[in-house]
């Protein structure tokens, strides 16, 4: 690559997308605590700039332009940022949800201490996520993956309570161990095949010189390392604990940043490093599928056993994120559509649910499922958003979750694993069992006689702070639209089909 | 390129769908207007929201020509109806709602699984017409029958029906029984491939349908509440629709003919059953005017007997159209069974009428709401007017006006009346177990709920104790700050490792 092209706008764009949240983040650290207006301007300015840049890149990729930024980094492994169709799927998701979450967080943390620290790390976290999405090879991916761990830790322990610190310690223990295992896997693979850019179809081609056992080990180590963040059983333990974090952090953690980074990594490793054919010929996909299927059912059963709203949602994430892994492991194009589109759909629905859970806790002090009785009358809009998210998780049409489930189901049959259909249906039933009671309580049960645990905004114009309400409604509407308009080209499904066509060379 | 979900196609391709759509829309419209005139003190906004969702879903599933559209409509209708069932907020309604919802979700999942398999068998096609041509595996056919059967509510899948219909407000029961349970039948008609049901299985389903038709009557005769009796009558009547479906699978060459009969029967039963359910509210008060009361009672008599196939009503058209399919030697047995079924239907209809009369005698005297009266009369008059307005129905009616046919239509009613009159009380006691064949769905449903509640009280998760982790961390820290022995030991290990590595290299 000539220096000329390094400074061409197409190669600078990926870098700019990362900088558009990194720079405001660093500036926010330097913002005094009292300067709320300046901080908000930095936050929102960064978000809007990023959205514009992402839109530009979306247009470009749709036209067939290449976006690649490379710097020499390690021997035979440069630092590469590139915008391909798959990475854009993730970048768009994180940018849109970053907008929603930022607005939500501003409302949520109003008048609470240490906001500069919070928003600084918040922006770093998004930068790292976008870096993961745009990473063009494994080394770059690893770099941002570790950065993400470090950037999210302060957010998890933000409240500083003993409980938060404990959760933070467990979070660090798991993710750092996972990162180390991933590092070993990447190093092993690097030693065997070198590190080239992610390419559709993968670059690992087994031949006589490569040890099959070595490849299998590398795959196993990488999946185990990524599985920690993707909350695959038995590496999921940190996730339900981490829900002690403030609601916007939970929302970000569960919908975009951490668990999705893991799932996205698994997609990259299976599709763009090993390639579907190699993974299958090495016999690696079936164990992965079994692991994902088990996690799906395990997470649902555990969710059923929780009485705390956020804990229930957390176990639901354990289950739902594994849909992505499951779809990837089935190694067929239709299942791939289901998996990659679920990356977006789950994000939209889960962020809605966490926003709503945060609103319940913030406005009325509701943490337990039992306290939700009659909530629909007090806050109909929030409850409506929550209902959309929960029904979507069950897979009730026409909400987005249904589309993912449909493609995963067809994909399972296509790939010749009808037993997966039973897993999907079983998981839907379990989802119904643990989400429908919440909806029932909210809409149909009579409110508790003693009133709400703690009513924060009894006389506001809306049912709660408008900055909390708007993002929840926005994401709820998006998850509804993503389902109803799934057949159009601008929907996540439309874009996913583009991604999968490129991945599978269709 | 479509704008909506993938493969979205909406339209009515056949006369069957068009008639189905029309009668469903008419029934929903009348029920909506009627409900507006009813007053209750329950929250209204939520009810109307779910009402509209349910109605939209019902219409969508009829008009949908693609798998996803059908499923979307079906789910909207099913889940929306939950709010209609529990509207009164009483414990019985909540119980009915729980059973309804559990079975509805179960049915949806069975339907989803079968649709996935069917669409896969049709090479990923999303068009219902193409799915119907495909070879679906037997398990998919079974799941389809189960999923849609749970909505149609024939025995043994009727568990929710006798609970939900009495619990819902009268217009809601009218649409539940008149329009929604028919959606299961329509789905089976539109989706189930002919190739999936062999002749043997078709005969099996026909037998099941006849058992169900009898079961509905017997269980209904044991009831005392008018809406419960009507609900069991629906279980019985929907079995005739299932019978028609099975007949179409048995004789695919007559599919077009059977389609007409199915349409006639459905439209007739939908409108008249709707009218009877609304009557449960309409007749809960008495008007001051004697003439008015007499006229209402006469209309009720005609409408109710229409279900039993009273001559020159839509019921007779439907029954004789059904019987005309069974003429000829190979199906003679079924012809007889259907005639026996007609007697049974008369029995339950007489029970309905007597229950209405007993209720009416004690009802409070109140001025009649003219709007309610008009709506109810419009619906009930369809029993007489429909055959003359609708050519498809006129034909079987006219052809059955011959004396022998009139006799064939009348004797079951007369015989039913005689049996009812001579019915010994001890038969009732002997039969009181009939309802138990309903497979104890309510108690199973309660057990499921209790099991889930128990689960939630003992949360545990796979994890290691993080206290151990902390201890480990402390020990590790101490290792570095410790005495000279620790440091020198570590240094020694490092040197050994390094030498080993060098030697190996």
């Amino acid at each position: 690559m000539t220096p000329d092209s390094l400074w061409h706008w197409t190669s600078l764009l990926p870098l700019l997308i990362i900088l558009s949240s990194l720079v405001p983040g660093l500036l926010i650290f330097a913002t005094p605590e009292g300067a709320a207006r300046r901080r908000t301007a930095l936050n929102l300015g960064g978000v809007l700039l990023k959205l514009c840049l992402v839109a530009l890149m979306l247009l470009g990729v749709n036209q067939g332009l290449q976006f690649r930024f490379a710097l020499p980094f390690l021997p035979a492994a440069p630092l590469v940022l590139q915008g391909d169709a798959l990475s854009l799927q993730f970048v768009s998701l994180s940018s849109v949800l970053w907008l929603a979450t930022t607005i939500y967080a501003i409302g949520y943390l109003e008048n609470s201490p240490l906001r500069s620290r919070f928003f600084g790390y918040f922006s770093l976290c998004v930068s790292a996520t976008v870096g993961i999405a745009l990473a063009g090879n494994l080394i770059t991916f690893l770099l941002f993956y570790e950065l993400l761990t470090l950037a999210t830790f302060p957010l998890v322990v933000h409240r500083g309570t003993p409980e938060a610190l404990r959760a933070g310690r467990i979070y660090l223990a798991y993710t750092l161990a996972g990162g180390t295992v991933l590092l070993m896997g990447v190093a092993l693979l690097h030693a065997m095949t070198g590190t080239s850019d992610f390419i559709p179809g993968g670059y690992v081609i087994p031949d006589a010189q490569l040890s099959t056992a070595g490849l299998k080990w590398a795959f196993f180590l990488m999946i185990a390392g990524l599985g920690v963040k993707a909350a695959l059983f038995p590496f999921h333990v940190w996730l339900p604990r981490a829900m002690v974090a403030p609601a916007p952090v939970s929302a970000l953690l569960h919908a975009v940043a951490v668990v999705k980074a893991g799932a996205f990594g698994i997609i990259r490793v299976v599709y763009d490093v090993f390639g579907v054919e190699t993974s299958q010929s090495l016999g690696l996909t079936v164990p992965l599928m079994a692991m994902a299927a088990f996690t799906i059912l395990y997470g649902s059963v555990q969710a059923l056993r929780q009485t705390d709203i956020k804990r229930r949602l957390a176990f639901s994430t354990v289950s739902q994120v594994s849909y992505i892994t499951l779809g990837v492991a089935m190694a067929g194009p239709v299942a791939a559509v289901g998996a990659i589109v679920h990356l977006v759909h789950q994000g939209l629905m889960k962020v809605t649910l966490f926003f709503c859970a945060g609103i319940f806790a913030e406005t009325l002090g509701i943490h337990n499922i039992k306290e939700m009785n009659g909530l629909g009358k007090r806050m109909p809009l929030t409850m409506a958003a929550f209902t959309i998210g929960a029904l979507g998780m069950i897979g009730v049409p026409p909400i987005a979750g249904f589309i993912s489930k449909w493609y995963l189901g067809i994909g399972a049959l296509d790939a010749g694993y009808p037993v997966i259909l039973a897993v999907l249906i079983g998981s839907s039933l379990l989802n119904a069992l643990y989400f429908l009671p919440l909806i029932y309580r909210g809409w149909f049960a009579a409110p508790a006689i003693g009133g709400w645990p703690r009513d924060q905004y009894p006389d506001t114009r809306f049912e709660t702070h408008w900055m909390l309400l708007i993002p929840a409604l926005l994401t709820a509407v998006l998850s509804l639209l993503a389902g109803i308009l799934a057949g159009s080209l601008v929907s996540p499904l439309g874009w996913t089909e583009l991604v999968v066509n490129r991945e599978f060379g269709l | 390129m479509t704008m909506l979900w993938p493969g979205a196609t909406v339209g009515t391709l056949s006369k069957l769908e068009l008639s189905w759509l029309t009668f469903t829309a008419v029934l929903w419209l009348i029920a909506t207007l009627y409900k507006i005139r009813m007053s209750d003190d329950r929250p209204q906004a939520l009810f109307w929201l779910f009402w509209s969702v349910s109605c939209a879903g019902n219409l969508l599933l009829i008009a949908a020509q693609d798998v996803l559209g059908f499923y979307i409509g079906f789910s909207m209708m099913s889940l929306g109806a939950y709010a209609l069932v529990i509207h009164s907020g009483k414990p019985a309604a909540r119980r009915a709602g729980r059973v309804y919802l559990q079975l509805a979700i179960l049915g949806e999942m069975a339907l989803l699984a079968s649709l996935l398999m069917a669409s896969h068998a049709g090479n990923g096609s999303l068009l219902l017409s193409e799915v119907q041509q495909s070879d679906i595996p037997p398990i998919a056919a079974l799941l389809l029958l189960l999923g849609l059967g749970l909505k149609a509510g024939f025995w043994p899948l009727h568990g929710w029906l006798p609970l939900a219909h009495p619990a819902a407000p009268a217009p809601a029961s009218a649409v539940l029984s008149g329009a929604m349970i028919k959606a299961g039948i329509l789905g089976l008609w539109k989706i189930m491939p002919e190739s999936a049901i062999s002749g043997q299985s078709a005969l099996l389903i026909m037998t099941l349908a006849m058992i169900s038709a009898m079961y509905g009557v017997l269980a209904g005769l044991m009831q005392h509440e008018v809406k419960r009796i009507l609900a069991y009558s629906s279980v019985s009547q929907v079995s005739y629709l299932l019978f028609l479906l099975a007949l179409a699978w048995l004789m695919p060459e007559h599919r077009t003919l059977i389609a007409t009969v199915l349409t006639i029967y459905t439209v007739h039963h939908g409108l008249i059953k709707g009218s009877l359910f609304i009557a449960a509210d309409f007749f809960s008060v008495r008007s001051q005017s004697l003439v008015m009361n007499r006229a209402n009672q006469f209309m009720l008599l005609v409408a109710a007997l229409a279900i039993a196939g009273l001559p020159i009503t839509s019921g007779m058209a439907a029954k004789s159209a059904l019987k005309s399919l069974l003429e000829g030697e190979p199906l003679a047995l079924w012809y007889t069974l259907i005639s026996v079924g007609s007697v049974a239907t008369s029995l339950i209809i007489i029970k309905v009428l007597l229950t209405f009369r007993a209720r009416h005698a004690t009802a409070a005297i109140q001025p009649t709401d003219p709007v309610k009266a008009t709506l109810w009369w419009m619906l009930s008059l369809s029993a007489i007017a429909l055959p003359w307005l609708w050519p498809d129905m006129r034909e079987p009616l006219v052809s059955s006006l011959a004396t022998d046919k009139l006799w064939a239509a009348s004797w079951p009613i007369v015989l039913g009346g005689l049996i009812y009159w001579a019915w010994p009380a001890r038969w009732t006691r002997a039969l009181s177990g009939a309802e138990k064949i309903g497979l104890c769905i309510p108690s199973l449903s309660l057990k499921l709920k209790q099991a889930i509640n128990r689960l939630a009280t003992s949360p545990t998760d796979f994890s290691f104790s993080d206290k151990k982790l902390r201890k480990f961390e402390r020990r590790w820290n101490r290792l570095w700050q410790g005495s000279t022995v620790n440091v020198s030991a570590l240094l020694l290990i490092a040197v050994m490792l390094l030498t080993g590595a060098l030697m190996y290299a």
Side-chain angles (χ1 to χ4, degrees):
Chain A
M1 187 158 284
T2 55
D4 259 3
S5 66
L6 182 65
W7 301 111
H8 191 259
W9 74 274
T10 54
S11 64
L12 279 180
L13 194 55
L15 187 67
L16 285 177
I17 288 182
I18 293 179
L19 290 180
S20 66
S21 50
L22 187 66
V23 173
L26 294 175
L27 290 176
I28 287 170
F29 277 122
T31 311
E33 195 55 39
R37 194 167 295 202
R38 197 194 312 168
R39 195 168 48 233
T40 307
L42 277 170
N43 260 323
L44 292 180
V47 178
L48 294 176
L49 179 63
K50 184 190 285 288
L51 278 175
C52 293
L53 294 174
V54 170
L56 189 64
M57 197 187 238
L58 271 171
L59 279 177
V61 168
N62 208 12
Q63 312 260 318
L65 284 181
Q66 303 279 337
F67 295 94
R68 190 175 186 279
F69 173 84
L71 277 181
F73 181 53
L74 289 180
L79 198 67
V80 178
L81 297 174
Q82 67 175 6
D84 57 17
L86 179 60
S87 55
L88 268 176
Q89 179 104 337
F90 195 23
V91 171
S92 322
L93 172 76
S94 39
S95 314
V96 170
L97 292 192
W98 187 38
L99 170 69
T101 318
T102 304
I103 298 175
Y104 187 86
I106 293 171
Y108 190 89
L109 292 174
E110 207 169 56
N111 305 323
S112 73
L114 296 173
R115 273 176 293 166
S116 282
R117 186 184 81 182
F118 180 87
F119 282 106
Y121 282 115
F122 203 68
S123 305
L124 286 192
C125 173
V126 171
S127 314
T129 310
V130 172
I132 286 175
L134 291 172
N137 61 21
L138 269 178
I139 302 292
T140 321
F141 182 88
L142 183 69
L143 188 73
F144 283 108
Y145 192 80
E146 292 296 342
L147 277 179
L148 181 64
T149 307
L150 300 178
T152 41
F153 174 73
L155 296 176
V156 173
V157 298
H158 180 74
R159 288 210 172 114
T161 57
E163 202 194 350
L165 289 172
R166 257 185 69 192
R169 188 177 314 125
I170 292 192
Y171 173 69
L172 263 195
Y174 270 85
T175 45
L176 284 182
T180 316
V181 173
L182 177 66
L183 172 69
M184 294 195 311
V186 171
L188 183 58
L189 193 71
H190 181 75
M192 292 171 75
T193 62
T195 296
S196 81
D197 283 5
F198 292 135
I199 42 169
Y203 59 80
V204 175
I205 295 144
D207 54 31
Q209 279 142 30
L210 284 179
S211 125
T212 323
L215 286 181
K216 280 184 184 170
W217 268 107
F219 187 86
F220 172 75
L221 289 172
M222 283 196 276
I223 294 294
L226 293 165
V228 170
K229 279 207 172 112
L232 275 176
F233 180 89
F235 312 124
H236 67 283
V237 177
W238 63 271
L239 185 62
R241 304 277 181 97
M243 60 87 212
V244 296
V249 176
S250 298
L252 204 67
L253 238 62
H254 284 259
V256 202
V258 181
V259 289
K260 282 301 166 57
F264 185 76
I266 293 177
I267 297 179
R268 279 290 196 208
V269 167
V270 175
Y271 287 157
D272 294 343
V273 175
F274 280 81
V276 173
E277 279 173 28
T278 310
S279 314
Q280 258 181 323
S281 65
L282 290 173
L284 297 166
T285 51
V286 176
L288 183 61
M289 187 162 59
M291 204 165 151
F294 181 78
T295 310
I296 287 176
L297 295 177
Y298 178 82
S300 299
V301 171
Q302 285 300 342
L304 200 53
R305 310 184 74 162
Q306 309 305 320
T307 49
D308 183 286
I309 301 174
K310 276 180 86 181
R311 274 186 79 86
R312 191 168 271 207
L313 292 181
F315 274 109
S316 153
T317 306
V318 172
S319 161
Q320 292 279 338
V321 167
S322 294
Y323 277 48
I324 302 172
T325 314
L326 183 77
V328 172
M330 282 192 278
V334 186
V337 172
I340 297 172
V341 82
H342 199 57
L343 190 82
V344 177
H345 287 167
Q346 191 269 353
L348 289 173
M349 296 183 299
K350 194 36 83 56
V351 91
T352 312
L353 289 173
F354 268 103
F355 282 162
C356 293
I359 295 177
F360 298 154
E362 226 10 51
T363 316
L364 300 174
I366 291 172
H367 297 280
N368 198 289
I369 288 164
K370 292 206 170 97
E371 295 160 344
M372 283 182 75
N373 286 0
L375 203 49
K377 213 170 284 173
R378 169 66 175 79
M379 17 178 51
L381 290 174
T382 316
M383 196 59 214
F386 187 85
T387 308
I388 291 179
L391 290 180
M393 286 288 170
I394 301 173
V396 171
I399 305 163
F402 166 65
I403 299 290
S404 339
K405 215 157 261 186
W406 179 267
Y407 278 87
L408 285 172
I410 293 276
L413 291 169
D414 248 9
Y417 302 110
V419 63
I420 294 299
L421 205 57
V423 173
L424 290 175
I425 297 290
S427 155
S428 289
L429 280 175
L430 288 168
N431 273 308
L433 285 180
Y434 66 76
F435 272 130
L436 287 181
L438 272 61
I439 299 175
Y440 172 80
R441 281 174 188 280
W443 290 116
F444 301 111
I449 298 171
W452 309 110
R454 173 183 56 125
D455 203 334
Q456 290 270 74
Y457 304 91
D459 303 315
T460 40
R461 187 160 158 211
F462 301 103
E463 54 199 51
T464 181
H465 195 297
W466 66 272
M467 282 182 114
L468 300 181
L469 187 59
I470 300 289
L473 293 179
L474 174 77
T475 50
V477 168
L478 283 180
S479 27
L480 198 57
L481 288 183
I484 295 178
L485 305 180
S488 65
L489 279 179
V490 290
S491 71
L493 182 68
W495 188 265
T496 305
E497 278 169 346
L498 179 76
V499 174
V500 171
N501 287 347
R502 291 188 184 174
E503 288 293 338
F504 283 78
L506 297 174
Chain B
M1 186 189 98
T2 68
M3 269 310 283
L4 298 168
W5 53 88
T9 325
V10 175
T12 50
L13 291 181
S14 61
K15 221 158 144 188
L16 175 126
E17 284 166 354
L18 189 60
S19 324
W20 213 293
L21 193 65
T22 316
F23 104 81
T24 307
V26 167
L27 186 61
W28 271 100
L29 180 65
I30 292 184
T32 309
L33 296 174
Y34 194 93
K35 179 72 184 72
I36 292 174
R37 302 296 295 192
M38 274 171 72
S39 55
D40 62 48
D41 51 357
R42 302 289 301 162
Q44 294 296 305
L46 213 54
F47 177 85
W48 286 114
L49 175 71
F50 280 89
W51 178 277
S52 329
V53 167
S54 196
C55 175
N58 197 350
L59 298 176
L60 172 62
L61 82 91
I62 297 172
Q65 296 301 332
D66 64 304
V67 177
L68 291 184
F70 179 83
Y71 186 70
I72 291 173
F74 194 83
S75 301
M76 282 166 69
M77 182 188 82
S78 273
L79 298 181
Y82 172 71
L84 314 188
V85 174
I86 65 158
H87 178 61
S88 77
K90 292 184 182 124
R94 293 221 305 270
R95 199 158 49 235
R98 190 183 62 233
V99 175
Y100 174 79
L101 195 61
Q102 286 172 352
L103 289 179
I105 295 279
L106 210 61
E108 298 236 327
M109 290 306 148
L111 178 64
L112 176 62
S114 65
L115 287 181
L116 281 167
M117 286 189 244
S119 172
H120 175 69
N123 293 323
S125 168
L126 291 172
L127 277 182
L128 285 179
S129 54
E130 285 175 27
V131 166
Q132 207 182 22
Q133 302 304 320
S134 62
D135 275 327
I136 65 172
I139 175 93
L142 192 68
L143 284 171
L144 191 64
L145 195 64
L146 186 73
L148 291 169
L150 273 169
K151 179 63 41 196
F154 45 79
W155 183 87
L157 305 175
H158 67 288
W160 61 274
L161 220 140
L163 294 170
H165 283 46
S173 326
V175 286
L176 268 170
S177 195
M180 290 194 214
I181 63 173
K182 310 290 193 300
I185 298 291
L186 181 73
L188 283 172
W189 177 265
K190 274 168 68 162
I191 303 171
M192 183 74 87
E194 283 155 21
S195 59
I197 307 272
S198 63
Q200 285 281 305
S201 336
L203 285 174
L204 201 67
I205 296 173
M206 280 158 79
T207 317
L208 180 83
M210 289 326 294
I211 295 175
S212 168
M214 295 302 162
Y215 167 80
V217 170
L218 290 181
L221 283 175
M222 302 302 117
Q223 308 302 323
H224 305 290
E225 212 253 316
V226 73
K227 278 164 88 183
R228 260 180 98 87
I229 310 176
L230 285 172
Y232 274 113
S233 151
S234 287
V235 172
S236 160
Q237 289 295 311
V238 87
S239 310
Y240 291 102
L241 300 178
L242 178 70
F243 181 83
L244 278 167
L245 285 178
L247 207 59
W249 295 325
L250 186 70
M251 311 185 296
E253 65 276 12
H254 293 313
R255 195 175 157 87
T256 2
L257 190 62
I258 296 173
T260 318
V261 180
L262 186 69
T263 317
I264 293 176
Y265 209 114
T266 308
V267 174
H268 146 71
H269 180 255
L271 293 177
I272 303 303
K273 197 41 90 53
S275 135
L276 290 181
F277 268 110
I278 288 182
D281 175 75
F282 185 59
F283 281 80
S284 60
V285 293
R286 264 190 307 168
S287 145
Q288 283 148 322
S289 134
L290 194 67
V291 183
M292 188 80 177
N293 275 335
R294 285 276 174 268
N296 284 343
Q297 282 164 1
F298 177 72
M299 193 63 243
L300 180 67
L301 183 75
V302 172
L305 284 177
I307 299 268
L310 183 72
I312 66 159
T313 61
S314 57
M316 180 178 172
K319 277 261 151 69
S320 63
L322 168 61
K323 281 183 178 173
S324 70
L325 289 173
L326 300 171
E327 279 163 3
E329 193 47 44
L331 295 169
L333 169 70
W334 299 105
Y335 189 93
T336 322
L337 281 177
I338 294 285
S339 302
V340 175
S342 300
V343 178
T345 309
S346 322
L347 273 175
I348 198 167
I349 288 303
I350 293 167
K351 172 96 186 175
V352 168
L353 283 169
L354 291 177
T355 318
F356 262 120
R357 199 177 70 172
R359 247 172 49 132
H360 199 55
T362 58
I365 296 180
Q366 248 180 37
T368 341
D369 180 344
V371 179
K372 276 184 173 182
T374 319
L375 291 168
W376 184 74
W377 272 83
M378 273 166 62
L379 211 50
S380 309
L381 272 177
S382 70
I384 300 170
L386 206 57
W388 306 109
L389 296 175
W390 186 21
D392 280 351
M393 201 185 254
R394 194 186 313 147
E395 196 192 336
L397 186 73
V398 170
S399 72
S400 64
L401 283 180
T403 329
D404 59 324
K405 295 263 178 85
L406 276 179
W407 171 239
S410 313
W411 71 258
I413 302 181
V414 177
L415 184 60
L418 284 174
I419 294 178
Y420 197 93
W421 177 66
W423 187 268
R426 62 176 198 288
W427 288 16
T428 310
R429 283 196 295 278
L431 279 173
S432 60
E435 203 191 353
K436 299 227 173 65
I437 321 175
L439 304 177
C440 317
I441 296 288
S443 73
L444 282 178
S445 147
L446 188 64
K447 285 205 182 107
L448 175 66
K449 188 194 159 192
Q450 285 164 346
I452 289 165
N453 285 352
R454 262 201 307 281
L455 265 183
T457 50
S458 55
T460 49
D461 182 27
F462 163 86
S463 68
F464 64 86
S465 152
D466 54 304
K467 296 218 173 75
K468 266 186 211 150
L469 186 71
R470 183 74 187 110
K471 216 164 34 183
F472 184 68
E473 195 184 330
R474 284 219 186 88
R475 206 176 294 158
W476 183 250
N477 286 342
R478 250 181 265 132
L479 201 61
W480 291 108
Q481 315 158 342
S483 57
T484 19
V485 180
N486 285 352
V487 176
S488 48
L490 282 169
L491 272 177
L492 195 64
I493 292 171
V495 169
M496 277 164 69
L497 279 176
L498 206 65
T499 351
L502 283 174
M503 275 166 70
Y504 185 73

